Amino acid sequence: MKRHILYIISATFFALILFVYATTSNFQNSTTSRQVTSETYTNTVTNVPIDLKYDSDKYFISGFSSEVSVDLSGSNRLMLNTEMQETTRNFKVSADLLTVSSGTVEVPLKVENLPSGLTASVKPSKINVTIGKKISKDFTVKSEIKPEQISEDVEIESTTLSQTTVSVTSDNNTIEQIDHVEAVLPDDTTINGNFSGKVSLRAVDANGELLASVISPSEVSLKVVVKSSSSSDSSSSKNDKNKG
């Protein structure tokens, strides 16, 4: 009888030990699992374009940053990597201007189509945008060559543009400030002889300050003819003979 009781006590004791071990092991596994699934990954996506919502047939917008940075966070690394790549990205950053008709306004930026399980923070969170009634008008094109872009021993005889009038589109207030359109010689170009090539255009006010606009066409051909050294020598010889 005593031996039977001893067996019962021993069995109960070992069962208790096994129960405690199993419970502790399950708790540790559960804790480890929670720690793994709660790990958060964060990455920054740069140069994300802003989708501006407005009536482009009626209004012209300017003065805003066209790209922003977005901080993405989530526990699913694969999903995060997918959103990091431009070709596989689902989310986009938008700004709603549909209720704005004129003036400079501060617009909040919103992240759309973000997959479930990810969070996003946009930097900056707001942008300033100038919006006004869209107008197109023709303006005269003038060639613009900075003095420092002309070699010291070169004298320009003539400049010719393939087009002397172009169409400029902007908001109504900016159109009123435009004086003319400049055909600008690239900064890295120096006139040390005859030149012929494509040059970009920009709309400026009477002081030469750049104004936001869209110009059609955006480029024209510029031809620059310089006075040849033989002509200069010939002129010098004639002047010497006259003096004699």
Side-chain angles (χ1 to χ4, degrees), residues 153 155 227-241:
D153 57 343
E155 184 179 354
K227 289 185 177 180
S228 63
S229 56
S230 58
S231 297
S232 298
D233 293 340
S234 176
S235 297
S236 297
S237 298
K238 289 180 180 180
N239 289 335
D240 291 340
K241 290 180 179 179

Side-chain angles (χ1 to χ4, degrees), residues 70 72-73 83 90-92 111-120:
V70 179
L72 294 177
S73 298
E83 295 304 312
N90 293 295
F91 83 89
K92 66 178 180 178
V111 177
E112 298 181 343
N113 303 332
L114 188 68
S116 177
L118 294 182
T119 59

Side-chain angles (χ1 to χ4, degrees), residues 3 12 14-15 18-19 27 30 40 54 66 69 82 110 123 128 138 144 170 180 183-184 194 211 224 227 232 236:
R3 182 176 295 178
T12 303
F14 284 116
L18 290 173
F19 174 77
F27 175 77
S30 177
T40 301
Y54 71 105
S66 59
S69 296
T82 298
K110 180 182 178 182
K123 296 179 180 178
N128 290 319
D138 290 343
E144 173 66 21
S170 189
H180 65 280
V184 186
N194 293 336
L211 298 172
V224 179
K227 289 185 177 180
S232 298
S236 297

Side-chain angles (χ1 to χ4, degrees), residues 47-63:
N47 304 321
V48 178
I50 301 174
D51 178 25
L52 291 161
K53 299 179 180 180
Y54 71 105
D55 189 340
S56 58
D57 292 328
K58 290 184 178 180
Y59 301 104
F60 184 89
I61 57 175
S62 62

Side-chain angles (χ1 to χ4, degrees), residues 144-207:
E144 173 66 21
I145 303 175
K146 299 176 183 176
E148 58 267 28
Q149 291 182 279
I150 306 172
S151 295
E152 293 183 1
D153 57 343
V154 168
E155 184 179 354
I156 293 178
E157 184 175 280
S158 65
T159 59
T160 305
L161 294 167
S162 60
Q163 196 163 328
T164 56
T165 303
V166 292
S167 175
V168 181
T169 301
S170 189
D171 64 85
N172 53 331
N173 290 327
T174 301
I175 284 290
E176 293 177 0
Q177 300 176 49
I178 297 176
D179 181 74
H180 65 280
V181 171
E182 289 182 343
V184 186
L185 193 70
D187 289 335
D188 59 353
T189 301
T190 300
I191 299 297
N192 48 29
N194 293 336
F195 169 87
S196 181
K198 292 281 188 179
V199 294
S200 58
L201 302 178
R202 65 182 187 184
V204 298
D205 62 15
N207 297 318

